[in-house]
Structure formats: C-alpha cells, structure tokens
Amino acid sequence: MSQPDLDAWRTQVRQWLTTVLEPARETEATGDLAVFHNLPEDEERLLLERCRVYQRARFDAGYQALTLPGDKGGAGLTAAHVAAFAQEESAFDVPPSTELISVTVRLVGMSVSLFGTTEQRDEYARAFLRTDLLACQLFSEPGAGSDLAAVRTRARRDGEEWVIDGQKVWTSGAQFADFGLLLARTDPDVVKQAGITAFLVPMDAPGVEVRPIRQMSGGASFNEVFLSGVRVPDRLRIGRPGQGWEVATTTLAFERTASGSGNRRKGGTFPDVLALARSLDRTGDPLVRQQLADLYVRTALRAATVDRVARASAAGDKPGPEASLTKLMASDLLSRTGQVAAELMGARISADTGEPGTFAWTQHLLGAPGYRLAGGTDQIQRNLIGERVLKLPPEPRVDRVPFSQLPGN
C-alpha cells in the first residue's frame, strides 16, 4: 500500500482540524500545573465527555491509530505522519485528555487490535479506539509493580469461563471504565513470564470492587480493584493462554511512548517556569538564568528525541525499548521543572499567599514523583535501555524456575 504524500496529507489534516477545533489561545501559562488530574467526579465526567467527542470525530475522519496496520483497524501510516499530525494538532485548542482516555485509545485499543481475534477487533478494539467504550489497565498489584511478571492474581479455567481472584492497584479511571485489560496467572508451574494470560474484564461484573485511593495532592484519580470469584467468558481472553506477558510488554511499550510523547499536558512546563520567574522579578539573577537555560535545553532535547524516535519507527511496528528513553526524559524533566519552580518561590510554595500562579505549583511537586513510577519505574527504564539498546550484560536472574517454586508462593 502506497503512503500518501506527507505534505499533502498534512494540509488535509490542517483543514480537517479547522472544522472541529478552535485555534489555540495564546497564553503564557495555563494555570493547570497538576501532573495527575484532581477533579471532583462530576467535573471528571464532563471532561471525559469532551474528550470523547473529539476522539470520535478523529476516529470517524480516519486519524486514529495512524500507524496501526490497515488489516488491524488502523490507517497504516508511518510515524512521520504521527509526528505531522501532532504538530498540526498543537496549533488548536484540543480538549485536555485524561489518563483513562489515553489508556483506552493508546494502550488497550492498540493491544486488542494487535492481539485480539477478528471478532474482538470488530466488537471491542474499534469501540476503544473511538472511545465508545472506556478501558482501564489492570496490571500492577501490591507485590507486582516494577516486577510485573510476579502477578499473583489467579485465573482458573471452568468450562467456557475463567474464574478470577486477586487485587490490582494504581488503576487510573477504574471508576469510569467499562472494561479492564487484566493480567492473571493461569499456570503457576512454568517460569513466571510464561504463565500469564490477558483478559478483558467487564468492570460491572459481579465480584469486581473499585476503591478510590486518596492522593496526597487531594485527588483520587487512582484506585484499588478487588476481584473475588469474577467469571469472565473465554471469548474475552486476549491472545493465547500464556501469551499475557507478550501482551503486557507491548502495552507497556505503548504506555512509555504515550508517557514520553503524549499530547496531554502533564504538570508545569518551561514557559510556566519562565512566566513564574518574570512575575517574581528573578530573571536578572545569573543563577536563575542558568537554571532557566538548563531547563530550556532539556526541554528542547526531549522534543528532539521524541521526534527522532518517532521518525525511526517503521509503520505498524511494535514500539521497542527506545520508548523507555522518551519516558525517562519526560519524568526527569517533570522533576527538574518542579525543582526550579520551588527554588524560585522558596516558602511561597508551601502556603497560598494569593499571588497568581504560585501555590498551584504544589500540584506539580506532589505529582511529579508518581510519574517516575507510571509505566515502569525510572530504574526499570534504565535497565531496558542498558540491556536492550546499549547491549550491556543483563543483571543476574535467580527467578528462572517455575513460579510455584519462588519464595512466597
């Protein structure tokens, strides 16, 4: 299949965007500095609906899942087209997305498209990519976060159904989701990576309980999810039994790409810090100017790296470990941005003095550490880069035995 001319396609995208969005407003800082959403439930639902209206329009126009092969429900374009779309989109007032929208479209929708059956793609993948259905990610557990292959949630076969028992944690948007993409252990007598299977679990199924987790920033965008005797039909199994680890690693690679290069604003940015320095009359300080210059350079380097990784990706390829690089740079930039803002404000950051755009930075500072964990910790990203990109010797592994023989099992 021949690819459309990039410049002509870009013009077509720009013309379409003018029909569904308003031009971006010229503002120096948005005032929304939260890394993770911190909204009351009714406001979160309104935001979700705004996002879904745009996502549906984008899907209907053929601009969703751009690199997904055509036979999997995507547009079959190249990563260069993705970059071009993002550049054109940045000139418009796009509804601010949420973690749940991103997980639905860029993680679960893509994974079901790649690993699902024809029937699953027709019934679920299309609905996820269009956000007619919303899906959360049921991966992490209290004892299986960075070491995701250690999941202890169990699924046992019972005729044409699976019975699932276990607990998941740090699930964004579970209270609003229709389905969850879940990892469960189906064979404890093989090595831990080989005994995992993926399922789509209806979030309103009997035995599913969602408990919000109150964050130190005040919001409750994350949840614990408890599963007690949840019965899931075999037709909702994604991939083969035991293929869950492949589904998980592919989904996490999509997550790292989304985390590192997504369009949704996460926390404060360099323009926000610059505006803060100007409002505090600190731009004449040589040390402050050095900090601002360093932050600007790191921002530019991250943008260049995101673009380079995107352009190096072939159309339809699964994202590789290079996605870890953009995710690592994104989390580091968030932390450094908060540090510079905190040094500029001093005591102002711990008390609301009424000065515009100051106390809001607490939302950034309290959320940035969590971003070092989302999608795999910084340490995991460095391991992936070292072992799979730089080809350094892998760390010693002592868990190459059946899962049932590991301590605690």
Side-chain angles (χ1 to χ4, degrees):
M1 176 179 173
S2 60
Q3 297 291 335
D5 176 75
L6 186 59
D7 291 335
W9 186 82
R10 181 191 287 271
T11 299
Q12 175 185 317
V13 167
R14 188 182 309 125
Q15 292 173 344
W16 174 76
L17 287 168
T18 62
T19 67
V20 295
L21 296 173
E22 296 293 328
R25 293 184 293 271
E26 293 293 331
T27 56
E28 195 166 36
T30 68
D32 179 13
L33 304 177
V35 176
F36 298 102
H37 280 298
N38 182 17
L39 298 174
E41 181 175 332
D42 56 343
E43 293 183 27
E44 185 79 16
R45 290 189 182 278
L46 289 174
L47 178 57
L48 282 171
E49 192 50 44
R50 283 184 59 203
C51 295
R52 295 172 85 168
V53 169
Y54 174 64
Q55 295 297 330
R56 288 165 182 162
R58 179 172 167 171
F59 179 92
D60 293 343
Y63 296 126
Q64 200 75 289
L66 293 175
T67 61
L68 197 66
D71 62 350
K72 302 292 187 182
L77 300 178
T78 69
H81 289 84
V82 176
F85 188 94
Q87 290 169 357
E88 294 301 326
E89 192 182 50
S90 66
F92 292 85
D93 186 17
V94 181
S97 190
T98 71
E99 297 294 332
L100 183 58
I101 293 292
S102 181
V103 167
T104 299
V105 174
R106 304 177 74 171
L107 277 62
V108 179
M110 296 288 278
S111 293
V112 175
S113 296
L114 288 173
F115 293 98
T117 63
T118 301
E119 292 75 16
Q120 288 171 337
R121 287 198 295 271
D122 291 343
E123 185 172 357
Y124 298 108
R126 182 184 187 278
F128 292 144
L129 293 173
R130 197 175 182 270
T131 67
D132 293 328
L133 293 173
L134 298 178
C136 59
Q137 182 177 299
L138 298 171
F139 281 16
S140 295
E141 300 180 6
S146 296
D147 185 12
L148 186 60
V151 294
R152 286 178 167 79
T153 292
R154 300 293 181 99
R156 60 177 178 84
R157 189 74 180 256
D158 183 17
E160 290 302 309
E161 293 182 316
W162 295 82
V163 182
I164 301 175
D165 293 278
Q167 178 187 356
K168 300 294 179 175
V169 75
W170 307 122
T171 306
S172 300
Q175 66 271 52
F176 306 111
D178 300 292
F179 286 86
L181 180 61
L182 175 137
L183 298 180
R185 186 158 305 283
T186 51
D187 186 354
D189 297 322
V190 295
V191 295
K192 60 184 183 181
Q193 290 86 353
I196 299 172
T197 302
F199 300 90
L200 276 180
V201 176
M203 295 302 290
D204 61 353
V208 175
E209 180 185 0
V210 178
R211 299 181 189 175
I213 298 173
R214 184 67 59 185
Q215 299 151 229
M216 62 181 176
S217 57
S221 59
F222 299 110
N223 303 272
E224 294 177 286
V225 179
F226 294 85
L227 304 108
S228 303
V230 179
R231 304 187 76 89
V232 175
D234 187 58
R235 64 181 178 83
L236 291 182
R237 169 175 45 83
I238 304 300
R240 303 182 307 276
Q243 196 182 9
W245 184 244
E246 183 182 354
V247 175
T249 54
T250 300
T251 304
L252 288 173
F254 283 129
E255 182 175 12
R256 287 157 192 155
T257 302
S259 297
S261 58
N263 288 330
R264 185 176 85 78
R265 174 192 172 100
K266 296 180 177 70
T269 62
F270 171 77
D272 297 312
V273 179
L274 179 60
L276 176 66
R278 286 171 172 165
S279 70
L280 298 175
D281 196 24
R282 298 289 305 279
T283 54
D285 186 325
L287 291 179
V288 170
R289 295 174 67 86
Q290 185 178 33
Q291 289 177 313
L292 291 173
D294 178 76
L295 198 60
Y296 175 81
V297 169
R298 291 177 184 275
T299 301
L301 284 174
R302 174 182 169 267
T305 303
V306 167
D307 183 68
R308 177 172 60 81
V309 171
R311 292 181 182 278
S313 301
D317 278 0
K318 297 176 185 177
E322 293 83 359
S324 295
L325 184 61
T326 56
K327 165 60 171 62
L328 188 61
M329 295 180 75
S331 60
D332 179 72
L333 184 60
L334 272 179
S335 294
R336 291 177 182 273
T337 299
Q339 290 168 4
V340 174
E343 291 180 20
L344 284 170
M345 285 186 285
R348 292 181 180 90
I349 202 161
S350 59
D352 189 354
T353 63
E355 296 170 276
T358 55
F359 188 63
W361 278 99
T362 59
Q363 291 275 18
H364 179 110
L365 285 176
L366 293 175
Y371 204 70
R372 290 189 177 276
L373 307 178
T377 65
D378 284 3
Q379 291 82 359
I380 293 294
Q381 310 308 332
R382 291 188 173 95
N383 276 358
L384 290 171
I385 293 168
E387 295 178 9
R388 302 182 189 179
V389 179
L390 302 177
K391 307 301 182 183
L392 298 175
E395 290 189 346
R397 301 297 297 268
V398 296
D399 55 1
R400 301 298 190 187
V401 297
F403 182 77
S404 58
Q405 296 180 17
L406 292 174
N409 297 317

mmCIF file of all heavy atoms in Angstrom, residues 246-282:
data_model
loop_
_atom_site.group_PDB
_atom_site.id
_atom_site.type_symbol
_atom_site.label_atom_id
_atom_site.label_comp_id
_atom_site.label_asym_id
_atom_site.label_seq_id
_atom_site.Cartn_x
_atom_site.Cartn_y
_atom_site.Cartn_z
ATOM 1 N N GLU A 246 3.611 -11.211 26.669
ATOM 2 C CA GLU A 246 3.840 -10.502 25.401
ATOM 3 C C GLU A 246 2.842 -9.360 25.245
ATOM 4 O O GLU A 246 3.198 -8.260 24.817
ATOM 5 C CB GLU A 246 3.725 -11.465 24.222
ATOM 6 C CG GLU A 246 4.025 -10.816 22.881
ATOM 7 C CD GLU A 246 3.869 -11.765 21.704
ATOM 8 O OE1 GLU A 246 3.635 -12.976 21.938
ATOM 9 O OE2 GLU A 246 3.958 -11.294 20.559
ATOM 10 N N VAL A 247 1.588 -9.620 25.608
ATOM 11 C CA VAL A 247 0.577 -8.558 25.574
ATOM 12 C C VAL A 247 0.982 -7.416 26.509
ATOM 13 O O VAL A 247 0.902 -6.236 26.160
ATOM 14 C CB VAL A 247 -0.809 -9.107 25.972
ATOM 15 C CG1 VAL A 247 -1.846 -7.981 26.049
ATOM 16 C CG2 VAL A 247 -1.264 -10.178 24.982
ATOM 17 N N ALA A 248 1.460 -7.784 27.709
ATOM 18 C CA ALA A 248 1.833 -6.769 28.704
ATOM 19 C C ALA A 248 3.004 -5.923 28.245
ATOM 20 O O ALA A 248 2.978 -4.693 28.352
ATOM 21 C CB ALA A 248 2.165 -7.452 30.025
ATOM 22 N N THR A 249 4.075 -6.559 27.742
ATOM 23 C CA THR A 249 5.254 -5.790 27.349
ATOM 24 C C THR A 249 4.952 -4.879 26.170
ATOM 25 O O THR A 249 5.468 -3.756 26.085
ATOM 26 C CB THR A 249 6.426 -6.728 27.018
ATOM 27 O OG1 THR A 249 6.005 -7.694 26.036
ATOM 28 C CG2 THR A 249 6.914 -7.458 28.260
ATOM 29 N N THR A 250 4.104 -5.342 25.250
ATOM 30 C CA THR A 250 3.713 -4.486 24.130
ATOM 31 C C THR A 250 2.890 -3.303 24.623
ATOM 32 O O THR A 250 3.108 -2.159 24.213
ATOM 33 C CB THR A 250 2.905 -5.294 23.100
ATOM 34 O OG1 THR A 250 3.707 -6.366 22.606
ATOM 35 C CG2 THR A 250 2.474 -4.414 21.934
ATOM 36 N N THR A 251 1.948 -3.566 25.538
ATOM 37 C CA THR A 251 1.119 -2.495 26.087
ATOM 38 C C THR A 251 1.963 -1.486 26.848
ATOM 39 O O THR A 251 1.773 -0.269 26.722
ATOM 40 C CB THR A 251 0.038 -3.079 27.017
ATOM 41 O OG1 THR A 251 -0.736 -4.048 26.298
ATOM 42 C CG2 THR A 251 -0.883 -1.992 27.532
ATOM 43 N N LEU A 252 2.930 -1.972 27.644
ATOM 44 C CA LEU A 252 3.782 -1.065 28.408
ATOM 45 C C LEU A 252 4.666 -0.233 27.496
ATOM 46 O O LEU A 252 4.969 0.927 27.799
ATOM 47 C CB LEU A 252 4.631 -1.862 29.398
ATOM 48 C CG LEU A 252 3.867 -2.450 30.586
ATOM 49 C CD1 LEU A 252 4.775 -3.352 31.409
ATOM 50 C CD2 LEU A 252 3.293 -1.341 31.454
ATOM 51 N N ALA A 253 5.090 -0.812 26.371
ATOM 52 C CA ALA A 253 5.876 -0.025 25.417
ATOM 53 C C ALA A 253 5.022 1.085 24.823
ATOM 54 O O ALA A 253 5.492 2.217 24.646
ATOM 55 C CB ALA A 253 6.423 -0.932 24.317
ATOM 56 N N PHE A 254 3.745 0.792 24.533
ATOM 57 C CA PHE A 254 2.841 1.850 24.088
ATOM 58 C C PHE A 254 2.692 2.904 25.182
ATOM 59 O O PHE A 254 2.650 4.104 24.909
ATOM 60 C CB PHE A 254 1.454 1.269 23.774
ATOM 61 C CG PHE A 254 1.361 0.551 22.459
ATOM 62 C CD1 PHE A 254 0.839 -0.730 22.394
ATOM 63 C CD2 PHE A 254 1.782 1.153 21.282
ATOM 64 C CE1 PHE A 254 0.727 -1.401 21.189
ATOM 65 C CE2 PHE A 254 1.687 0.493 20.060
ATOM 66 C CZ PHE A 254 1.156 -0.790 20.023
ATOM 67 N N GLU A 255 2.621 2.456 26.465
ATOM 68 C CA GLU A 255 2.458 3.387 27.577
ATOM 69 C C GLU A 255 3.672 4.306 27.704
ATOM 70 O O GLU A 255 3.536 5.498 27.957
ATOM 71 C CB GLU A 255 2.237 2.633 28.884
ATOM 72 C CG GLU A 255 2.019 3.548 30.084
ATOM 73 C CD GLU A 255 1.678 2.795 31.350
ATOM 74 O OE1 GLU A 255 1.817 1.564 31.370
ATOM 75 O OE2 GLU A 255 1.288 3.454 32.331
ATOM 76 N N ARG A 256 4.878 3.738 27.548
ATOM 77 C CA ARG A 256 6.075 4.564 27.653
ATOM 78 C C ARG A 256 6.136 5.584 26.532
ATOM 79 O O ARG A 256 6.555 6.729 26.720
ATOM 80 C CB ARG A 256 7.318 3.678 27.655
ATOM 81 C CG ARG A 256 7.471 2.927 28.970
ATOM 82 C CD ARG A 256 8.311 1.686 28.862
ATOM 83 N NE ARG A 256 8.172 0.881 30.082
ATOM 84 C CZ ARG A 256 8.371 -0.419 30.144
ATOM 85 N NH1 ARG A 256 8.716 -1.090 29.051
ATOM 86 N NH2 ARG A 256 8.224 -1.066 31.274
ATOM 87 N N THR A 257 5.715 5.151 25.322
ATOM 88 C CA THR A 257 5.666 6.089 24.211
ATOM 89 C C THR A 257 4.660 7.188 24.502
ATOM 90 O O THR A 257 4.925 8.372 24.297
ATOM 91 C CB THR A 257 5.287 5.357 22.913
ATOM 92 O OG1 THR A 257 6.232 4.319 22.670
ATOM 93 C CG2 THR A 257 5.286 6.313 21.735
ATOM 94 N N ALA A 258 3.482 6.804 25.013
ATOM 95 C CA ALA A 258 2.453 7.788 25.342
ATOM 96 C C ALA A 258 2.916 8.712 26.456
ATOM 97 O O ALA A 258 2.712 9.921 26.410
ATOM 98 C CB ALA A 258 1.156 7.081 25.736
ATOM 99 N N SER A 259 3.557 8.143 27.488
ATOM 100 C CA SER A 259 4.030 8.947 28.621
ATOM 101 C C SER A 259 5.117 9.907 28.186
ATOM 102 O O SER A 259 5.198 11.046 28.656
ATOM 103 C CB SER A 259 4.574 8.032 29.718
ATOM 104 O OG SER A 259 3.559 7.200 30.223
ATOM 105 N N GLY A 260 5.976 9.465 27.283
ATOM 106 C CA GLY A 260 7.100 10.305 26.878
ATOM 107 C C GLY A 260 6.763 11.332 25.840
ATOM 108 O O GLY A 260 7.441 12.344 25.723
ATOM 109 N N SER A 261 5.712 11.061 25.046
ATOM 110 C CA SER A 261 5.476 11.945 23.912
ATOM 111 C C SER A 261 4.015 12.299 23.716
ATOM 112 O O SER A 261 3.636 12.773 22.660
ATOM 113 C CB SER A 261 6.003 11.288 22.630
ATOM 114 O OG SER A 261 5.375 10.040 22.419
ATOM 115 N N GLY A 262 3.188 12.039 24.716
ATOM 116 C CA GLY A 262 1.767 12.292 24.554
ATOM 117 C C GLY A 262 1.447 13.767 24.445
ATOM 118 O O GLY A 262 2.211 14.639 24.857
ATOM 119 N N ASN A 263 0.261 14.065 23.865
ATOM 120 C CA ASN A 263 -0.146 15.446 23.687
ATOM 121 C C ASN A 263 -0.719 16.040 24.967
ATOM 122 O O ASN A 263 -0.780 17.255 25.110
ATOM 123 C CB ASN A 263 -1.192 15.535 22.564
ATOM 124 C CG ASN A 263 -0.582 15.306 21.197
ATOM 125 O OD1 ASN A 263 0.580 15.612 20.989
ATOM 126 N ND2 ASN A 263 -1.361 14.752 20.270
ATOM 127 N N ARG A 264 -1.193 15.200 25.876
ATOM 128 C CA ARG A 264 -1.805 15.752 27.083
ATOM 129 C C ARG A 264 -0.757 16.417 27.949
ATOM 130 O O ARG A 264 0.271 15.838 28.282
ATOM 131 C CB ARG A 264 -2.507 14.651 27.893
ATOM 132 C CG ARG A 264 -3.235 15.248 29.081
ATOM 133 C CD ARG A 264 -4.016 14.217 29.851
ATOM 134 N NE ARG A 264 -3.224 13.521 30.832
ATOM 135 C CZ ARG A 264 -2.884 14.028 32.009
ATOM 136 N NH1 ARG A 264 -3.220 15.264 32.314
ATOM 137 N NH2 ARG A 264 -2.188 13.333 32.874
ATOM 138 N N ARG A 265 -1.034 17.650 28.311
ATOM 139 C CA ARG A 265 -0.142 18.395 29.179
ATOM 140 C C ARG A 265 -0.076 17.713 30.534
ATOM 141 O O ARG A 265 -1.087 17.354 31.126
ATOM 142 C CB ARG A 265 -0.680 19.821 29.321
ATOM 143 C CG ARG A 265 0.089 20.664 30.339
ATOM 144 C CD ARG A 265 -0.682 21.933 30.610
ATOM 145 N NE ARG A 265 -0.073 22.663 31.695
ATOM 146 C CZ ARG A 265 0.726 23.712 31.524
ATOM 147 N NH1 ARG A 265 1.000 24.120 30.311
ATOM 148 N NH2 ARG A 265 1.235 24.335 32.561
ATOM 149 N N LYS A 266 1.127 17.534 31.052
ATOM 150 C CA LYS A 266 1.314 16.916 32.365
ATOM 151 C C LYS A 266 2.190 17.847 33.193
ATOM 152 O O LYS A 266 3.386 17.937 32.990
ATOM 153 C CB LYS A 266 1.969 15.539 32.233
ATOM 154 C CG LYS A 266 1.129 14.509 31.473
ATOM 155 C CD LYS A 266 1.851 13.190 31.383
ATOM 156 C CE LYS A 266 0.996 12.138 30.681
ATOM 157 N NZ LYS A 266 0.833 12.426 29.247
ATOM 158 N N GLY A 267 1.588 18.542 34.151
ATOM 159 C CA GLY A 267 2.348 19.413 35.024
ATOM 160 C C GLY A 267 2.808 20.691 34.358
ATOM 161 O O GLY A 267 2.403 21.042 33.249
ATOM 162 N N GLY A 268 3.674 21.414 35.091
ATOM 163 C CA GLY A 268 4.207 22.660 34.576
ATOM 164 C C GLY A 268 5.241 22.431 33.492
ATOM 165 O O GLY A 268 5.864 21.373 33.404
ATOM 166 N N THR A 269 5.439 23.447 32.663
ATOM 167 C CA THR A 269 6.379 23.373 31.553
ATOM 168 C C THR A 269 7.373 24.529 31.633
ATOM 169 O O THR A 269 7.248 25.411 32.496
ATOM 170 C CB THR A 269 5.638 23.449 30.216
ATOM 171 O OG1 THR A 269 4.965 24.724 30.135
ATOM 172 C CG2 THR A 269 4.607 22.324 30.100
ATOM 173 N N PHE A 270 8.347 24.533 30.715
ATOM 174 C CA PHE A 270 9.316 25.624 30.715
ATOM 175 C C PHE A 270 8.649 26.999 30.603
ATOM 176 O O PHE A 270 9.023 27.922 31.354
ATOM 177 C CB PHE A 270 10.344 25.442 29.593
ATOM 178 C CG PHE A 270 11.229 26.646 29.424
ATOM 179 C CD1 PHE A 270 12.272 26.883 30.316
ATOM 180 C CD2 PHE A 270 10.996 27.564 28.400
ATOM 181 C CE1 PHE A 270 13.073 28.011 30.182
ATOM 182 C CE2 PHE A 270 11.792 28.688 28.264
ATOM 183 C CZ PHE A 270 12.834 28.908 29.155
ATOM 184 N N PRO A 271 7.671 27.195 29.689
ATOM 185 C CA PRO A 271 7.031 28.518 29.646
ATOM 186 C C PRO A 271 6.394 28.918 30.969
ATOM 187 O O PRO A 271 6.397 30.108 31.327
ATOM 188 C CB PRO A 271 5.974 28.353 28.539
ATOM 189 C CG PRO A 271 6.522 27.291 27.650
ATOM 190 C CD PRO A 271 7.210 26.342 28.579
ATOM 191 N N ASP A 272 5.867 27.954 31.722
ATOM 192 C CA ASP A 272 5.290 28.257 33.032
ATOM 193 C C ASP A 272 6.359 28.726 34.016
ATOM 194 O O ASP A 272 6.152 29.662 34.791
ATOM 195 C CB ASP A 272 4.577 27.031 33.604
ATOM 196 C CG ASP A 272 3.396 26.595 32.755
ATOM 197 O OD1 ASP A 272 2.588 27.448 32.395
ATOM 198 O OD2 ASP A 272 3.304 25.385 32.447
ATOM 199 N N VAL A 273 7.511 28.040 34.002
ATOM 200 C CA VAL A 273 8.600 28.429 34.906
ATOM 201 C C VAL A 273 9.127 29.806 34.525
ATOM 202 O O VAL A 273 9.416 30.650 35.390
ATOM 203 C CB VAL A 273 9.729 27.379 34.874
ATOM 204 C CG1 VAL A 273 10.879 27.808 35.789
ATOM 205 C CG2 VAL A 273 9.214 26.019 35.312
ATOM 206 N N LEU A 274 9.267 30.052 33.231
ATOM 207 C CA LEU A 274 9.737 31.362 32.772
ATOM 208 C C LEU A 274 8.762 32.466 33.197
ATOM 209 O O LEU A 274 9.188 33.531 33.682
ATOM 210 C CB LEU A 274 9.899 31.351 31.251
ATOM 211 C CG LEU A 274 10.372 32.658 30.611
ATOM 212 C CD1 LEU A 274 11.741 33.064 31.164
ATOM 213 C CD2 LEU A 274 10.424 32.520 29.094
ATOM 214 N N ALA A 275 7.460 32.192 33.041
ATOM 215 C CA ALA A 275 6.462 33.177 33.468
ATOM 216 C C ALA A 275 6.546 33.420 34.971
ATOM 217 O O ALA A 275 6.411 34.562 35.444
ATOM 218 C CB ALA A 275 5.066 32.694 33.082
ATOM 219 N N LEU A 276 6.794 32.354 35.736
ATOM 220 C CA LEU A 276 6.923 32.495 37.189
ATOM 221 C C LEU A 276 8.131 33.356 37.539
ATOM 222 O O LEU A 276 8.047 34.256 38.388
ATOM 223 C CB LEU A 276 7.061 31.109 37.816
ATOM 224 C CG LEU A 276 7.313 31.062 39.321
ATOM 225 C CD1 LEU A 276 6.117 31.602 40.082
ATOM 226 C CD2 LEU A 276 7.629 29.631 39.763
ATOM 227 N N ALA A 277 9.264 33.096 36.893
ATOM 228 C CA ALA A 277 10.480 33.876 37.168
ATOM 229 C C ALA A 277 10.269 35.351 36.852
ATOM 230 O O ALA A 277 10.744 36.231 37.588
ATOM 231 C CB ALA A 277 11.646 33.309 36.355
ATOM 232 N N ARG A 278 9.557 35.617 35.775
ATOM 233 C CA ARG A 278 9.292 37.014 35.407
ATOM 234 C C ARG A 278 8.369 37.676 36.416
ATOM 235 O O ARG A 278 8.583 38.834 36.798
ATOM 236 C CB ARG A 278 8.681 37.069 34.007
ATOM 237 C CG ARG A 278 9.686 36.801 32.888
ATOM 238 C CD ARG A 278 8.996 36.651 31.540
ATOM 239 N NE ARG A 278 9.964 36.578 30.451
ATOM 240 C CZ ARG A 278 9.683 36.167 29.223
ATOM 241 N NH1 ARG A 278 8.433 35.782 28.927
ATOM 242 N NH2 ARG A 278 10.623 36.131 28.298
ATOM 243 N N SER A 279 7.335 36.932 36.863
ATOM 244 C CA SER A 279 6.393 37.524 37.811
ATOM 245 C C SER A 279 7.053 37.818 39.150
ATOM 246 O O SER A 279 6.633 38.729 39.869
ATOM 247 C CB SER A 279 5.201 36.583 38.018
ATOM 248 O OG SER A 279 5.583 35.421 38.733
ATOM 249 N N LEU A 280 8.092 37.047 39.492
ATOM 250 C CA LEU A 280 8.821 37.260 40.744
ATOM 251 C C LEU A 280 10.022 38.175 40.567
ATOM 252 O O LEU A 280 10.799 38.382 41.507
ATOM 253 C CB LEU A 280 9.281 35.907 41.307
ATOM 254 C CG LEU A 280 8.169 34.915 41.672
ATOM 255 C CD1 LEU A 280 8.774 33.584 42.103
ATOM 256 C CD2 LEU A 280 7.284 35.486 42.771
ATOM 257 N N ASP A 281 10.195 38.685 39.348
ATOM 258 C CA ASP A 281 11.302 39.591 39.027
ATOM 259 C C ASP A 281 12.662 38.950 39.330
ATOM 260 O O ASP A 281 13.547 39.569 39.907
ATOM 261 C CB ASP A 281 11.150 40.909 39.806
ATOM 262 C CG ASP A 281 12.041 42.013 39.226
ATOM 263 O OD1 ASP A 281 12.391 41.924 38.030
ATOM 264 O OD2 ASP A 281 12.387 42.937 39.976
ATOM 265 N N ARG A 282 12.810 37.669 38.896
ATOM 266 C CA ARG A 282 14.041 36.941 39.174
ATOM 267 C C ARG A 282 14.892 36.688 37.926
ATOM 268 O O ARG A 282 15.940 36.053 38.014
ATOM 269 C CB ARG A 282 13.709 35.586 39.819
ATOM 270 C CG ARG A 282 12.985 35.667 41.161
ATOM 271 C CD ARG A 282 13.894 36.164 42.261
ATOM 272 N NE ARG A 282 15.097 35.351 42.370
ATOM 273 C CZ ARG A 282 15.163 34.173 43.010
ATOM 274 N NH1 ARG A 282 14.065 33.679 43.579
ATOM 275 N NH2 ARG A 282 16.291 33.511 43.091
#
